[in-house]
Amino acid sequence: MTATPRTALTIAGSDSGGGAGIQADLRTFFACGVHGMTAITAVTVQNSLGVQGFTAIDTETVVAQIKAVAGDMGVDAAKTGMLATAEIIGAVGETLDEVRIGRDADTPFVVDPVAASMHGNALLREDALEAIRTELFPRATLVTPNLDEVRLLTGIEVTGPESQRAAADALLAFGPQWVLVKGGHLYSDPQCVDLLSDGTHVVELKGRRHDTPHTHGGGDTLASAITAALAKGLGVPDAVETGKRFIERSVVESYPLGEGIGPVSPFWRLDRSDPD
């Protein structure tokens, strides 16, 4: 009998194209060696060209999914993705308190505040953005916004290292334990520099900027890899460094799919020497 792996829960929306959302989270959890569990918040209609629409899952069902897996199977780490509405966000926050998930509880909690499209447009109404600030961030072990989400959440336009640090401080003021301000959308920088901070310890994580348009699901994949590392018992700085290495390789291995933007790929973690 195989030993039971660590478990990770993703609370997020479904991507019908399979490149982001719940599907990207589960692909990454598998590649990182943890058992993935889900609480689906929305069903999207999307492909490589973008999102054509979505239907939010009713709040009671979202809550029931979280309680079902946490109460029976246990959760070693959890993350969020697309949460769709302020009502869902508030209910998720309260439920996480009940099942002891969050920065002040027993289980690490990563908030990937999915609030902007790949073109930088807002995906959430202002009441939902405010719910992320007030309901999720104070419960978070780590938050992982991209620069468009930083702008929507704080009003700060990151243009370089100084404004990136200012953004981290502004996000920390909402209450999370750690903040990772991702620099992938700062295209004027030849490197991808992510800034990790808890207000005292500040670490710049530098990486190569790879020349590929196929980056769909990159933010989900990074947050999921970090969540998997936290589930295995790593501290936040080590988990973030592990996630950074994972997403860098996944971008290198990204592939075209459809007529638009293809997904980043965790397939490199599979043993390609096996002919089957």
Side-chain angles (χ1 to χ4, degrees):
M1 181 179 296
T2 301
T4 302
R6 295 295 184 96
T7 61
L9 168 66
T10 172
I11 308 166
S14 169
D15 172 3
S16 55
I22 288 282
Q23 287 78 2
D25 294 339
L26 290 178
R27 286 175 13 142
T28 304
F29 288 162
F30 172 80
C32 292
V34 300
H35 177 84
M37 304 173 298
T38 66
I40 298 177
T41 61
V43 175
T44 71
V45 178
Q46 66 176 294
N47 53 27
S48 68
L49 298 173
V51 179
Q52 284 88 54
F54 77 91
T55 299
I57 304 299
D58 64 271
T59 302
E60 293 77 11
T61 301
V62 174
V63 167
Q65 292 175 85
I66 297 170
K67 290 183 176 180
V69 297
D72 173 52
M73 303 162 83
V75 179
D76 292 312
K79 71 170 290 288
T80 61
M82 177 187 180
L83 294 181
T85 68
E87 292 75 19
I88 290 176
I89 294 167
V92 166
E94 292 178 2
T95 305
L96 293 178
D97 288 346
E98 290 183 39
V99 299
R100 299 292 299 160
I101 294 174
R103 58 165 294 180
D104 295 325
D106 305 321
T107 303
F109 175 46
V110 176
V111 175
D112 185 18
V114 178
S117 72
M118 66 182 68
H119 304 294
N121 299 317
L123 294 175
L124 298 176
R125 299 186 318 188
E126 179 54 39
D127 63 337
L129 288 171
E130 182 62 14
I132 289 176
R133 298 183 192 103
T134 60
E135 300 292 334
L136 291 188
F137 278 14
R139 294 176 165 93
T141 306
L142 171 71
V143 300
T144 62
N146 63 36
L147 298 189
D148 293 314
E149 290 155 352
V150 166
R151 173 176 48 80
L152 290 170
L153 289 162
T154 69
I156 295 174
E157 190 81 38
V158 174
T159 57
E162 185 174 339
S163 52
Q164 192 174 27
R165 291 201 177 204
D169 290 340
L171 291 162
L172 285 167
F174 295 130
Q177 184 178 3
W178 291 86
V179 168
L180 180 67
V181 180
K182 298 179 293 188
H185 290 185
L186 190 60
Y187 298 111
S188 60
D189 192 330
Q191 291 186 310
C192 288
V193 181
D194 301 333
L195 183 72
L196 177 67
S197 175
D198 68 351
T200 301
H201 302 92
V202 180
V203 180
E204 286 189 348
L205 300 165
K206 297 181 179 181
R208 289 179 55 198
R209 185 175 295 278
H210 299 283
D211 185 18
T212 176
H214 302 304
T215 57
H216 186 49
D220 303 314
T221 298
L222 173 59
S224 298
I226 294 170
T227 303
L230 291 170
K232 291 181 172 181
L234 272 66
V236 171
D238 289 337
V240 170
E241 289 188 14
T242 298
K244 176 81 169 177
R245 291 194 298 270
F246 188 91
I247 188 57
E248 285 181 338
R249 183 67 181 273
S250 296
V251 171
V252 170
E253 300 286 342
S254 66
Y255 51 85
L257 184 65
E259 297 181 4
I261 297 174
V264 301
S265 175
F267 292 157
W268 61 270
R269 288 295 292 265
L270 301 178
D271 182 7
R272 293 178 175 175
S273 66
D274 185 348
D276 296 328

